[in-house]
Amino acid sequence: MFLSVKGLKKAFGDQEVLKDINLEIERGNILTIIGPSGSGKTTLLRCLNALERPDKGTYSFDDGLELHFSDHIKKNDMTRLRLKSGMVFQSYNLFPHKTALENVIEGPLIVQKRNKDAVMTLARDLLEKVGLSDKMDLYPHQLSGGQQQRVGIARALAIQPELMLFDEPTSALDPELVGDVLKVIKDLANEGWTMAIVTHELRFAEQVSDRVLFMDNGYIVEQGSPKDVLRNPSEERTKQFIQRIMNP
């Protein structure tokens, strides 16, 4: 078990967005999170690496790190949590004034203080991995949306995380660009990366996921294997959602 989450809650003012979330992520597995807009999916993902700090809940990692969010958390432990994961955002979030290569080296070089030569070699290898070896010196405005998202994936990989988090990585892309990004994610899945993915691409989720989790109104309504949740859901709310997405 890479990560166990128990009793996770998060509110923004009076709006309770996450309500007693309990889940587990196995090392080397892909957890896909689905659900309607406003169900709490993105907030859950952002809580997993403390971009949003949970109000309550416990995270237990397989290396012994344990965080209780109702208590004071040491700065060092919060840093350890954030370094465990790399985040890929739906809106890319690249630095517009930096080239593709400069975007990828930013985290390991500036934040992690790693050796520059080693980081440059790693960044070039990662950009080649995502099919952008000929785009390294281009700026974000010179790249298509799909290319920018692949830079974002390379940037997240560059910090060498244990967990990759994808927040609807294809939702901002034109339909013809979606396939290139999904192929990169499939390749990472085949390499054994541990991932949590928020997506509306249900057929893709069925192909790559070890577990699928359906959320609605801040709760986990149902979770299980892709076959169980996507093809034979037991909850009526899950059935309604999947029917609407699969047969619009």
Side-chain angles (χ1 to χ4, degrees):
M1 187 66 58
F2 168 68
L3 169 63
S4 173
V5 175
K6 294 182 179 178
L8 175 62
K9 295 184 178 183
K10 177 65 181 177
F12 297 100
D14 294 333
Q15 183 182 9
E16 195 175 16
V17 179
L18 298 178
K19 308 167 183 176
D20 196 27
I21 297 293
N22 299 279
L23 62 87
E24 294 178 341
I25 301 176
E26 297 279 358
R27 189 173 287 278
N29 278 11
I30 291 88
L31 172 70
T32 299
I33 304 165
I34 63 172
S37 297
S39 59
K41 306 183 302 296
T42 291
T43 300
L44 171 57
L45 213 62
R46 291 173 66 87
C47 281
L48 289 180
N49 71 344
L51 282 172
E52 301 288 355
R53 178 177 167 138
D55 298 322
K56 292 183 180 179
T58 300
Y59 292 0
S60 301
F61 289 91
D62 59 2
D63 64 356
L65 176 62
E66 193 162 295
L67 302 173
H68 301 274
F69 287 99
S70 55
D71 301 332
H72 171 73
I73 295 176
K74 296 177 183 177
K75 183 178 179 181
N76 183 53
D77 285 343
M78 191 66 81
T79 299
R80 284 177 64 192
L81 169 63
R82 289 179 172 141
L83 288 174
K84 283 182 176 295
S85 59
M87 186 86 159
V88 178
F89 302 89
Q90 64 184 76
S91 55
Y92 325 135
N93 284 23
L94 301 179
F95 294 110
H97 59 288
K98 293 181 181 291
T99 65
L101 184 65
E102 288 168 342
N103 266 280
V104 175
I105 67 173
E106 178 81 9
L109 197 62
I110 305 302
V111 179
Q112 296 179 324
K113 312 292 187 188
R114 281 155 49 190
N115 176 269
K116 184 174 182 179
D117 289 341
V119 167
M120 292 292 285
T121 298
L122 173 65
R124 292 190 180 97
D125 289 346
L126 288 173
L127 285 168
E128 182 175 357
K129 181 188 189 75
V130 299
L132 295 175
S133 57
D134 60 337
K135 309 291 185 185
M136 295 186 188
D137 296 323
L138 298 186
Y139 291 88
H141 75 272
Q142 297 173 302
L143 302 171
S144 71
Q147 290 168 341
Q148 289 184 62
Q149 191 58 291
R150 283 183 279 155
V151 173
I153 294 172
R155 179 182 61 183
L157 291 169
I159 65 170
Q160 299 179 323
E162 296 177 69
L163 172 67
M164 286 288 287
L165 302 171
F166 293 87
D167 183 17
E168 299 195 33
T170 61
S171 66
L173 302 179
D174 293 332
E176 67 268 22
L177 302 176
V178 168
D180 290 339
V181 172
L182 294 184
K183 181 184 181 302
V184 172
I185 299 174
K186 285 181 183 177
D187 289 344
L188 295 176
N190 291 332
E191 292 173 14
W193 282 84
T194 307
M195 294 189 268
I197 306 170
V198 170
T199 185
H200 287 294
E201 302 280 347
L202 298 191
R203 290 179 176 85
F204 165 73
E206 189 172 22
Q207 293 170 13
V208 304
S209 305
D210 294 286
R211 289 184 66 77
V212 175
L213 181 158
F214 173 68
M215 291 185 68
D216 190 33
N217 194 32
Y219 291 101
I220 296 174
V221 176
E222 187 168 354
Q223 59 180 312
S225 71
K227 181 179 179 181
D228 288 342
V229 176
L230 298 176
R231 293 294 175 180
N232 189 32
S234 60
E235 299 294 329
E236 187 60 34
R237 183 66 186 93
T238 315
K239 293 177 186 177
Q240 293 171 356
F241 174 80
I242 291 172
Q243 180 71 19
R244 193 170 70 249
I245 297 294
M246 290 288 204
N247 303 290

